[in-house]
Amino acid sequence: MADRDTRLRSAPLRIASGQGFWGDDLEAPVRQVRGGPIDYLVMDYLAEVTMSIMQKQRARDPNAGYARDFVPLMERIFPDIVEKGIRIVTNAGGVNPEGCAQALLGAGRAAGVAGKARVGRVEGDDILERLPKLISEGHALANMETGAPLSDIVDKVQSANVYIGAAPIVEALDKGADVIVTGRSTDTALTYGPMIHEFGWSLDDHDRIAAGVVAGHINECGAQSSGGNCLIDWWTMPDMTEVGFPIVEAHPDGSFVVTKHGGTGGRVNRATVTEQIVYEMGDPTDYITPDVVADFTTIHLDEQGGDRVRVHGVKGGPRTDFLKVSIAYSDGWKATGNLTYSWPDAAQKARAAGVLLRERLDRLGLEFDAVRTELVGWDSTHGHLAGEPPADLPEVQLRIGVRGKNRAHVERFTREIAPLVLTGPPSVTGFAGGRPRVQEIMAYWPALIRREAVEPFLSVSVTDV
Amino acid sequence: MAMIPLVRLAHARSGDKGDTANVGVIAYDAAHYDLLVEALTPEAVKAHFGELVKGEVERFPLPNLHAINFLLHGALDGGGTQSLMNDAQGKVFSTALLRMEIAVPDEIAAQLPERGWAPDGWSAESYTGGGA
């Protein structure tokens, strides 16, 4: 700690968001690094479903199981970040932070920064292999929605990761890591971890940590706070070709300004930031993270103009005794197929095809937990609120899906779509893509676990490139 | 009183958490926030969605942002990878709520600008900085 205190900063800390999910704009992090001054680049790659996908990849290849896009990105920007002293914090490590770190060290050598940068990794959030022991020790890991104990489905679990807080990120930064890869670090911790490290905040300073959480929430979905997917007057959004991703300019007192690099597209104002604040929100007075409970009803926004919004006044309360666990388990199979019907009576034909297909599935004796019919182009987004389709609707796409426990039944369903072309309602097209694919359903099992069952297992290590 | 679609008074964003969709409704004009709180009761929102929301509707006001957050339980056919819905992650429940017609005093309704749609003559090219 004494070591840290000597280099606490008072100048604003610029923390840039580079990715909002695994699959986001690959050029965005490059623009953030090269488009103007930043101190940190943070990238969120993980969603609930992502962990189970990565776990499957790792089962096939022990070196896989992380966000692969991150490695070629680092090969491009390693020289930039070394030259400018930018540090990177990301949860790209997925279910294999060590594998990711090894690939990253290779990327660093290939990029010519050997001896000039340090790579840190945070491990221990993955409790998949410890589940039987944890259950035998009395951790029920009950489903937060249904109350059922995890033992009911433990044989079907594919991944189990604990949302961890900022402490290991801060430790890696204290140890001099320039690039830190974690597993299931909570999204917001990627942003407030650097604040704790740079400003020397105590984890008991609930208001400042809560402010960092709000900053993290604004950063965690990339351009969704700077004009992307923004509904308000959407047609006025300036040049979205190279949209500016958000940058948080943090101050030691917990206040911060949301902005973006000059000359980029998009917009940062009160409305674009507010849309992101309410995204995926539950009870706003009770925004629970591993390190603090933030109260989003205390957020104050001041629009400053010039793509700058000041955020201040955030209050928080003490953390809970529990951490959240994200568990994915195999829960059957599903498939969805599409056919397009044209005028006249497009919607009526599509509905007739749907009814016909359901009758055929019944007569084949196929059993499903659910069969769903939607008309894409009419009711697949607003349901009955769209009203009744007119007879002169130019075209509509029938979308029909099934899910069930029996894979063979779902497989047979995928073979019943194409026959409708010659054996059902007329003026049908759009089947050139072939049979639909059978997908395994990964159901989500949210649970809580006591901190002491996880925190002693967290580890941080730092290596020179 | 005049019946006005919510899209003329507010913008919104939605997301998911398991089988629950959330919709955050944000008043364009802070002066209309109280009007939204009065009209958008959980019961009224539940009635608007009808069969689209199987469970309860919870409401959380955020007067600091002149916004209201709604949780629509049982709206996503199980949610996540289980759901067979096109909108399995509830991304556009926001706009479904903005269809709702709410009662607005005549004098306010008369002053509301036309809002919510791209204007006539707008060109898609402008989205990349081109066009008129």
Side-chain angles (χ1 to χ4, degrees):
Chain A
M1 283 302 285
D3 206 28
R4 280 173 59 192
D5 291 342
T6 59
R7 52 189 165 91
L8 293 186
R9 78 187 272 147
S10 53
L13 181 68
R14 289 171 62 90
I15 305 174
S17 163
Q19 266 323 244
F21 67 105
W22 188 15
D24 203 356
D25 184 350
L26 294 169
E27 299 303 312
V30 182
R31 290 200 295 277
Q32 290 290 53
V33 165
R34 296 179 184 163
I38 61 169
D39 300 299
Y40 282 82
L41 178 67
V42 297
M43 290 181 282
D44 174 27
Y45 284 96
L46 303 181
E48 286 167 3
V49 178
T50 321
M51 303 305 282
S52 60
I53 296 169
M54 290 174 163
Q55 199 65 253
K56 281 189 170 178
Q57 293 172 344
R58 191 185 182 181
R60 286 195 295 269
D61 173 1
N63 296 317
Y66 58 87
R68 288 185 309 270
D69 292 340
F70 177 61
V71 176
L73 166 71
M74 285 307 301
E75 201 169 324
R76 283 175 76 187
I77 64 174
F78 238 137
D80 300 85
I81 68 157
V82 166
E83 184 197 334
K84 296 177 177 176
I86 297 167
R87 302 171 91 175
I88 292 182
V89 186
T90 177
N91 55 18
V95 301
N96 191 359
E98 179 58 29
C100 183
Q102 289 304 326
L104 189 56
L105 291 167
R109 289 188 291 269
V113 300
K116 297 177 188 165
R118 310 187 81 193
V119 169
R121 61 283 227 180
V122 174
E123 297 180 279
D125 62 292
D126 188 341
I127 59 168
L128 181 62
E129 289 176 4
R130 293 174 54 212
L131 284 181
K133 186 154 189 290
L134 286 165
I135 290 172
S136 73
E137 286 170 359
H139 297 277
L141 295 163
N143 187 308
M144 289 168 73
E145 283 159 18
T146 66
L150 184 68
S151 52
D152 287 1
I153 53 116
V154 70
D155 318 341
K156 297 193 282 181
V157 171
Q158 303 288 322
S159 67
N161 296 80
V162 181
Y163 285 89
I164 57 174
I169 292 171
V170 176
E171 184 183 337
L173 290 170
D174 288 349
K175 288 178 171 169
D178 299 293
V179 183
I180 298 168
V181 292
T182 75
R184 187 56 279 194
S185 279
T186 199
D187 307 347
T188 52
L190 305 176
T191 292
Y192 68 80
M195 295 180 188
I196 294 170
H197 166 75
E198 296 279 348
F199 297 138
W201 291 347
S202 157
L203 277 169
D204 296 329
D205 192 341
H206 304 140
D207 292 347
R208 285 190 175 89
I209 307 290
V213 166
V214 173
H217 184 86
I218 291 168
N219 256 351
E220 76 183 17
C221 294
Q224 239 195 175
S225 58
S226 55
N229 193 28
C230 285
L231 179 60
I232 185 165
D233 303 337
W234 70 270
W235 58 91
T236 68
M237 203 55 76
D239 190 356
M240 292 294 283
T241 319
E242 296 191 348
V243 56
F245 273 46
I247 297 169
V248 164
E249 279 181 10
H251 293 263
D253 67 356
S255 68
F256 60 93
V257 170
V258 187
T259 186
K260 65 187 184 72
H261 282 321
T264 58
R267 178 180 290 149
V268 176
N269 66 15
R270 186 184 172 96
T272 68
V273 171
T274 303
E275 281 199 28
Q276 174 56 23
I277 289 174
V278 298
Y279 178 65
E280 289 187 344
M281 179 183 279
D283 177 348
T285 64
D286 196 30
Y287 188 100
I288 301 171
T289 75
D291 295 312
V292 75
V293 178
D295 181 352
F296 277 33
T297 67
T298 61
I299 297 172
H300 283 75
L301 301 181
D302 297 334
E303 194 171 277
Q304 299 184 321
D307 290 309
R308 293 177 68 83
V309 174
R310 181 168 176 262
V311 184
H312 60 101
V314 181
K315 302 285 181 203
R319 65 187 204 179
T320 73
D321 293 334
F322 296 89
L323 294 171
K324 191 172 176 187
V325 194
S326 168
I327 298 169
Y329 66 101
S330 173
D331 193 31
W333 307 89
K334 71 170 184 179
T336 306
N338 304 297
L339 289 172
T340 302
Y341 290 85
S342 83
W343 179 96
D345 288 334
Q348 290 73 10
K349 290 167 188 163
R351 282 185 176 159
V355 169
L356 176 62
L357 179 57
R358 282 169 183 256
E359 182 61 26
R360 287 180 181 165
L361 297 175
D362 268 354
R363 292 198 190 184
L364 286 166
L366 304 180
E367 289 180 359
F368 302 110
D369 297 334
V371 181
R372 187 179 182 92
T373 309
E374 295 179 340
L375 300 186
V376 179
W378 190 254
D379 68 3
S380 84
T381 57
H382 290 181
H384 66 90
L385 299 172
E388 271 305 298
D392 68 348
L393 195 66
E395 65 185 44
V396 77
Q397 186 180 58
L398 169 69
R399 177 188 155 96
I400 185 158
V402 300
R403 70 164 175 264
K405 301 289 187 281
N406 186 324
R407 183 175 183 154
H409 289 195
V410 176
E411 182 73 45
R412 180 60 198 257
F413 159 81
T414 68
R415 292 159 190 264
E416 294 299 316
I417 308 283
L420 285 168
V421 172
L422 299 186
T423 66
S427 22
V428 55
T429 186
F431 46 83
R435 286 184 186 134
R437 196 165 53 89
V438 176
Q439 293 173 276
E440 186 171 11
I441 293 172
M442 282 299 156
Y444 179 60
W445 183 282
L448 296 174
I449 189 166
R450 295 198 70 84
R451 286 176 179 276
E452 55 269 26
V454 178
E455 288 177 339
F457 292 84
L458 298 178
S459 69
V460 173
S461 63
V462 179
T463 316
D464 288 327
V465 172
Chain B
M1 299 292 263
M3 296 305 284
I4 299 286
L6 185 55
V7 71
R8 295 203 36 211
L9 290 152
H11 58 118
R13 179 171 294 176
S14 52
D16 68 317
K17 195 125 299 181
D19 195 22
T20 299
N22 99 289
V23 181
V25 174
I26 308 152
Y28 289 131
D29 183 341
H32 298 150
Y33 175 69
D34 290 341
L35 200 64
L36 299 187
V37 172
E38 197 172 322
L40 299 176
T41 62
E43 296 74 22
V45 169
K46 167 95 177 149
H48 170 72
F49 280 108
E51 66 188 29
L52 298 180
V53 177
K54 308 280 188 275
E56 291 309 301
V57 169
E58 282 186 279
R59 176 173 98 157
F60 301 96
L62 291 111
N64 53 322
L65 303 175
H66 37 90
I68 310 171
N69 187 40
F70 294 93
L71 294 184
L72 314 176
H73 295 288
L76 299 176
D77 187 32
T81 68
Q82 223 162 314
S83 178
L84 297 174
M85 292 169 69
N86 191 15
D87 188 22
Q89 292 176 299
K91 296 284 187 188
V92 294
F93 268 78
S94 50
T95 52
L97 182 52
L98 294 180
R99 283 177 175 273
M100 187 170 163
E101 302 260 335
I102 64 169
V104 173
D106 292 328
E107 59 276 20
I108 292 178
Q111 289 166 9
L112 280 182
E114 199 50 58
R115 203 164 179 180
W117 288 268
D120 288 345
W122 177 81
S123 152
E125 305 299 321
S126 74
Y127 211 60
T128 55

